[in-house]
Amino acid sequence: SALQYINNPSGGGSSMALTEPRRPAPVPDAESMSAASQAERGVLEEEFKWLLKEEVHAVLKQLQDILKEASRRFAMPMVGLEGLQKQENFILGSSTMDQVKGVLTLQGEALTQADINLKMSKSNQVLHFTFREDKQWKMQQIQDARNHVNQAVQLLNSRDESYRFKTGAEVNKLMDAVMLQLTRARNRLTTPATMTLPELASSGLMKMFTPPLPGDVLVNFYINLSKLCLTVYQLHVLQPNTNKNFKPSGSSVLHNPGAMFELNNLKFEVSHVHKVECVVPWLNDTLVFFTISLQLCQQLKDKISVFSSYWNYRPY
């Protein structure tokens, strides 16, 4: 037989070897399929319970630790045995020009001193001005970012280790709220406020200096990412009989030469713009902390969405 030939191919005969036809795999009945899906579902539900009970709290603890570090970078000056929090001095300068030079003193969110030398473009005269002793300039961007970090920390603290999350939607709601505060904090440091030139000219910053700033100079301080920036505008008055087509400029972070504005019935044009900046290392740290925290929040949301895709017919 064919089976004998396969077992003993050296045996006589020239008949071709034949194999028995394969039997088709048994089709599982509905009951066994249901049992398998039930078993799989049981495993998934156990994994999801573990995620809600253990992993969520592990991630929350990580987030708390990271944001405590971020919050510490924003720490307000504290009076203690060593007096006020250490002030940090930052040297302003540019490799391409020496029109503006200076030193800024930052203490938490406050600029406590600015010592600035400005070489006037027309006369080459060097002006020197500093903050008045009784004045500090609050960096609103830093204060706002700190407040958003503290709100994120409060949200996390509201769910301590004893808290039991019941659904993935509940975790997502918390992550969304934390991510909103962290995104707002980051945006305050990465997106300086826009201002019109009349707003800048009327700002309290113009009254901070001794000797007072001349009428043809405007200054602005702002944060851009991890940099503390100073912009100085030199102006000239447009004569009433000027042939120039007067067109007031809008709101901007940085105005260009040629920008025009009107203030107290006088029309001005920006003749020169000088921007200098310095890196504030602890601001860079906070931006890194924001990025890591946002990634942790998103990763936790992604894990929950994996389970939700299995149970898309009911709230997970």
Side-chain angles (χ1 to χ4, degrees), residues 169-183:
E170 187 184 6
V171 178
N172 276 350
K173 185 178 178 182
L174 176 61
M175 290 298 96
D176 286 340
V178 171
M179 290 174 80
L180 178 63
Q181 295 302 328
L182 293 179
T183 302

Side-chain angles (χ1 to χ4, degrees), residues 27-295:
V27 177
D29 56 25
E31 189 176 335
S32 61
M33 285 178 69
S34 174
S37 64
Q38 286 295 329
E40 182 183 86
R41 184 187 179 86
V43 170
L44 285 172
E45 286 187 348
E46 286 305 309
E47 286 182 6
F48 191 55
K49 284 178 186 174
W50 181 87
L51 177 77
L52 290 179
K53 183 181 177 184
E54 304 293 341
E55 189 162 356
V56 169
H57 282 291
V59 172
L60 297 189
K61 178 69 169 64
Q62 271 185 290
L63 287 167
Q64 283 176 317
D65 291 344
I66 293 167
L67 294 182
K68 276 178 189 170
E69 279 300 307
S71 190
R72 199 167 61 80
R73 299 297 194 280
F74 286 110
M76 292 293 287
M78 299 288 289
V79 177
L81 296 174
E82 300 175 7
L84 287 174
Q85 181 193 48
K86 188 185 76 164
Q87 295 181 329
E88 298 175 285
N89 293 325
F90 297 99
I91 298 171
L92 291 169
S94 166
S95 58
T96 57
M97 64 177 192
D98 59 357
Q99 239 73 27
V100 178
K101 290 183 176 178
V103 178
L104 301 181
T105 304
L106 188 65
Q107 187 172 357
E109 66 194 28
L111 268 180
T112 56
Q113 187 51 269
D115 190 305
I116 298 167
N117 291 308
L118 168 64
K119 185 188 285 186
M120 298 300 285
S121 298
K122 284 184 180 177
S123 62
N124 272 344
Q125 177 190 5
V126 176
L127 302 181
H128 176 246
F129 42 90
T130 61
F131 277 178
R132 289 163 42 183
E133 287 294 327
D134 61 331
K135 295 286 187 182
Q136 291 187 354
W137 184 250
K138 187 168 285 187
M139 301 299 295
Q140 192 66 43
Q141 288 172 265
I142 295 179
Q143 183 184 35
D144 290 348
R146 189 194 76 225
N147 289 341
H148 288 305
V149 170
N150 288 343
Q151 287 182 44
V153 170
Q154 286 173 11
L155 285 165
L156 294 168
N157 289 344
S158 70
R159 299 288 182 263
D160 64 16
E161 288 182 10
S162 65
Y163 185 84
R164 288 286 170 260
F165 289 94
K166 296 178 180 64
T167 65
E170 187 184 6
V171 178
N172 276 350
K173 185 178 178 182
L174 176 61
M175 290 298 96
D176 286 340
V178 171
M179 290 174 80
L180 178 63
Q181 295 302 328
L182 293 179
T183 302
R184 285 176 174 171
R186 184 173 64 182
N187 288 349
R188 285 303 284 130
L189 299 180
T190 60
T191 313
T194 60
M195 295 181 76
T196 64
L197 288 164
E199 285 171 346
L200 200 53
S202 308
S203 159
L205 185 56
M206 299 306 114
K207 302 176 180 68
M208 295 280 295
F209 294 95
T210 179
L213 292 177
D216 59 352
V217 172
L218 298 179
V219 300
N220 190 26
F221 295 106
Y222 59 88
I223 300 294
N224 186 15
L225 294 166
S226 59
K227 291 176 181 175
L228 175 57
C229 306
L230 164 66
T231 306
V232 180
Y233 299 98
Q234 292 187 49
L235 316 171
H236 68 258
V237 179
L238 292 171
Q239 299 305 317
N241 59 354
T242 182
N243 292 325
K244 282 198 172 183
N245 181 23
F246 179 75
K247 186 182 177 186
S249 63
S251 190
S252 179
V253 174
L254 184 67
H255 295 271
N256 295 317
M260 302 177 188
F261 70 102
E262 186 173 358
L263 188 70
N264 300 329
N265 296 321
L266 287 175
K267 293 176 179 175
F268 295 90
E269 182 179 25
V270 174
S271 57
H272 297 85
V273 180
H274 311 295
K275 181 187 171 189
V276 286
E277 57 192 28
C278 53
V279 173
V280 180
W282 62 265
L283 282 177
N284 190 60
D285 291 347
T286 60
L287 289 167
V288 172
F289 292 145
F290 295 161
T291 300
I292 294 170
S293 299
L294 285 164
Q295 286 173 347

